[in-house]
Amino acid sequence: MIMCYLLYSLCCGWRSSHLNAVELSAVKWLFVAVLVMIFGGVLVVNNSLISYLSLSKSKCIRNLNGHSIGPYQIHAGKSVPIVKCDDQTKMEEGEIFAIETFGTTGRGYIVEDLECSHYMKNFNAPHVPLRLPRSKKLLGHINKTFGTLAFCRRWLEREDGGSFTVNGNKGKQEKYMGALKNLCDVGIVQAYPPLVDVKGSYTAQYEHTLVLRPTCKEILSRGDDF
């Protein structure tokens, strides 16, 4: 009853009347996940609650997860499943997590498809001798401008190459696609293509970032509107 009241208060306080069914499901699942997160808890046991809270017309996307976050490392090694499984990974004090929920009206399983526009340098990228001058040039630009954080091709094509602070108006990358493919082929950069469910379905994703303190959890991403 307390959990239901908290869900009602949190969701209705966030203008739930403007959400469709799949969005409302994802919001409810997110607040449940945030409420039950404690350090020392088993990630999947905590979050398996979410898989039972779907509305009749929506379901969890079972092959997408939340994850731990490290300094300049978006995916730091631990996953936070939103469906029940046998993973016994535990949360530890001081860790930071992106708690994510994914709802869909489709089959609940996504695949990579369509043209890729988003990329990120691998946090543990191998040292690979690059033979192509354009690849060396592009890698230098990525290291200087983005480091191990994600970027998109559109940013590379801007006059500032993705950051006016770093490059001024002299950062634009030209004829870079071959070099970018080379960096992906040798494992230095990871491509992140669009993720799709079945055609015609609707999906929703909501997220909060939290840090596990000794006596509480602090929601770092909480604002006035969410």
Side-chain angles (χ1 to χ4, degrees):
M1 181 64 70
I2 294 175
M3 180 70 77
C4 292
Y5 174 76
L6 285 169
L7 284 174
Y8 177 83
S9 300
L10 288 167
C11 292
C12 292
W14 190 66
R15 303 182 303 235
S16 61
S17 60
H18 297 286
L19 302 176
N20 62 35
V22 67
E23 287 179 314
L24 185 56
S25 291
V27 171
K28 286 183 176 180
W29 301 335
L30 176 61
F31 284 122
V32 169
V34 170
L35 285 169
V36 300
M37 289 294 102
I38 56 171
F39 69 83
V42 179
L43 297 177
V44 68
V45 172
N46 289 337
N47 284 280
S48 63
L49 287 169
I50 301 168
S51 63
Y52 298 110
L53 292 170
S54 61
L55 298 181
S56 59
K57 294 184 178 180
S58 60
K59 62 188 73 171
C60 294
I61 300 177
R62 61 184 181 274
N63 61 328
L64 289 177
N65 306 300
H67 51 87
S68 57
I69 301 175
Y72 299 98
Q73 188 177 17
I74 299 301
H75 301 98
K78 291 186 177 181
S79 294
V80 185
I82 60 174
V83 294
K84 190 174 182 179
C85 64
D86 296 326
D87 190 346
Q88 292 297 303
T89 304
K90 288 182 169 50
M91 310 181 80
E92 304 294 338
E93 180 183 333
E95 288 183 325
I96 299 175
F97 286 89
I99 305 301
E100 301 183 69
T101 52
F102 305 86
T104 180
T105 59
R107 61 185 174 183
Y109 189 89
I110 53 89
V111 295
E112 295 180 350
D113 197 10
L114 306 175
E115 183 179 3
C116 181
S117 62
H118 288 65
Y119 300 82
M120 185 163 59
K121 183 184 175 184
N122 285 321
F123 189 80
N124 297 309
H127 175 71
V128 179
L130 297 173
R131 298 181 179 181
L132 301 176
R134 287 187 183 275
S135 297
K136 295 179 181 178
K137 178 177 179 294
L138 180 60
L139 179 58
H141 178 79
I142 292 171
N143 286 334
K144 178 177 67 172
T145 309
F146 310 113
T148 53
L149 299 181
F151 62 93
C152 63
R153 283 162 40 190
R154 176 167 50 87
W155 293 354
L156 297 176
E157 296 165 4
R158 293 185 343 199
E159 292 299 323
D160 63 7
S163 172
F164 181 82
T165 301
V166 175
N167 304 308
N169 283 323
K170 298 181 179 179
K172 184 177 181 179
Q173 302 298 297
E174 298 178 338
K175 300 179 180 179
Y176 63 85
M177 283 302 299
L180 185 56
K181 182 179 184 302
N182 179 229
L183 294 178
C184 291
D185 290 342
V186 299
I188 296 176
V189 171
Q190 177 70 45
Y192 290 90
L195 304 174
V196 301
D197 202 328
V198 293
K199 186 176 182 180
S201 62
Y202 292 88
T203 62
Q205 182 266 356
Y206 286 88
E207 175 177 348
H208 266 314
T209 302
L210 57 86
V211 59
L212 297 171
R213 304 294 189 191
T215 58
C216 68
K217 51 182 173 285
E218 179 182 354
I219 304 176
L220 303 176
S221 54
R222 192 68 183 271
D224 295 335
D225 61 342
F226 180 58

